[in-house]
């Protein structure tokens, strides 16, 4: 199963001010999520960003917020965003069946987002190097569980080049700059 830019949307899960500093390798996860958002913008793919209990955990970190429009931010209290009222309708309105999921924490909200989307018929791609947990062991188990549930495990660079498809397009050079920045 390959990613197709015309069928994909990017979901960045809970990369928030109070959580991100506690995530193992958090700065790298933030950088990879931001790079995915830049690539999605360049290639005109829809983006959605979740914020879990933002009144307590804080809003998205500035490196993520800068690439998100207010209408793309989804507030939630459920760990699994697909359980939140209206979220599935928001995703359905995009008219795309491939979800690329990145964010925090990998073993809680990000994993549950992927499993929830898969339950609703989406082809899910979990970006291993753009996701993280406070403990590396939790991240590893989340990735393994997702793999066992037929969620595709990918990397940031895999996603970007599958979205781009070819090198003889104007976006190629700009995408290379994004790849080299992380």
């Amino acid at each position: 199963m390959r990613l197709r830019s015309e069928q994909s949307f990017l979901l960045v899960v809970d990369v928030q001010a109070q959580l991100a500093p506690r995530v193992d390798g958090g700065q790298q996860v933030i950088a990879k999520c931001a790079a995915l958002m830049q690539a999605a913008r360049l290639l005109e793919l829809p983006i959605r960003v979740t914020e879990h209990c933002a009144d307590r955990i804080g809003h998205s970190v500035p490196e993520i917020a800068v690439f998100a429009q207010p209408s793309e931010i989804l507030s939630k209290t459920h760990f699994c965003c697909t359980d939140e009222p209206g979220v599935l309708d928001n995703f359905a309105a995009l008219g795309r069946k491939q979800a690329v999921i990145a964010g925090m924490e990998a073993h809680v909200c990000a994993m549950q987002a992927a499993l929830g989307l898969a339950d609703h018929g989406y082809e899910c791609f979990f970006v291993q190097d753009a996701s993280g947990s406070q403990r590396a062991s939790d991240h590893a188990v989340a990735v393994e569980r997702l793999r066992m549930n037929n969620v595709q495990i990918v990397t940031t660079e895999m996603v970007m080049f599958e979205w781009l498809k070819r090198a003889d397009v104007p976006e190629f050079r700009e995408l290379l700059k994004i790849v080299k920045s992380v």
Side-chain angles (χ1 to χ4, degrees):
M1 169 184 348
R2 286 187 346 185
L3 276 167
R4 307 225 181 262
S5 59
E6 64 278 1
Q7 285 300 313
S8 296
F9 71 94
L10 175 63
L11 176 60
V12 177
V13 178
D14 304 351
V15 183
Q16 294 169 251
Q18 299 297 322
L19 177 59
R22 297 193 312 260
V23 167
D24 182 47
Q27 281 307 119
Q28 184 67 14
V29 172
I30 292 168
K32 298 279 186 176
C33 287
L36 285 166
M37 293 177 80
Q38 288 177 304
R41 284 277 178 252
L42 175 68
L43 302 172
E44 300 180 355
L45 275 73
I47 298 171
R48 292 297 179 268
V49 175
T50 64
E51 293 183 344
H52 185 77
C53 299
D55 57 326
R56 294 190 303 265
I57 302 174
H59 292 282
S60 297
V61 297
E63 299 92 329
I64 298 303
V66 71
F67 295 112
Q69 301 298 319
S71 62
E72 296 170 332
I73 298 173
L74 307 172
S75 297
K76 66 183 185 69
T77 58
H78 289 83
F79 296 114
C80 182
C81 65
T82 61
D83 292 341
E84 195 73 32
V87 169
L88 278 173
D89 292 336
N90 187 298
F91 294 155
L94 300 174
R96 292 164 182 252
K97 293 304 283 181
Q98 292 185 332
V100 174
I101 301 117
M104 301 175 178
E105 282 196 76
H107 68 292
V108 184
C109 295
M111 180 192 71
Q112 289 188 41
L115 294 173
L117 283 161
D119 282 347
H120 290 281
Y122 287 85
E123 295 175 3
C124 294
F125 298 80
F126 190 82
V127 192
Q128 183 172 356
D129 63 341
S131 62
S133 296
Q134 292 181 58
R135 289 171 296 285
S137 60
D138 285 332
H139 182 262
V141 172
V143 169
E144 183 57 29
R145 182 173 174 200
L146 289 166
R147 185 177 283 119
M148 290 178 357
N149 281 278
N150 297 317
V151 171
Q152 300 294 308
I153 306 303
V154 295
T155 67
T156 300
E157 202 167 318
M158 286 171 145
V159 170
M160 288 192 231
F161 284 107
E162 281 184 62
W163 280 346
L164 187 62
K165 293 183 197 153
R166 51 193 299 163
D168 61 346
V169 294
E171 296 86 359
F172 177 71
R173 288 201 182 280
E174 194 61 35
L175 188 84
L176 275 181
K177 290 178 192 172
I178 297 168
V179 168
K180 291 177 182 180
S181 74
V182 290

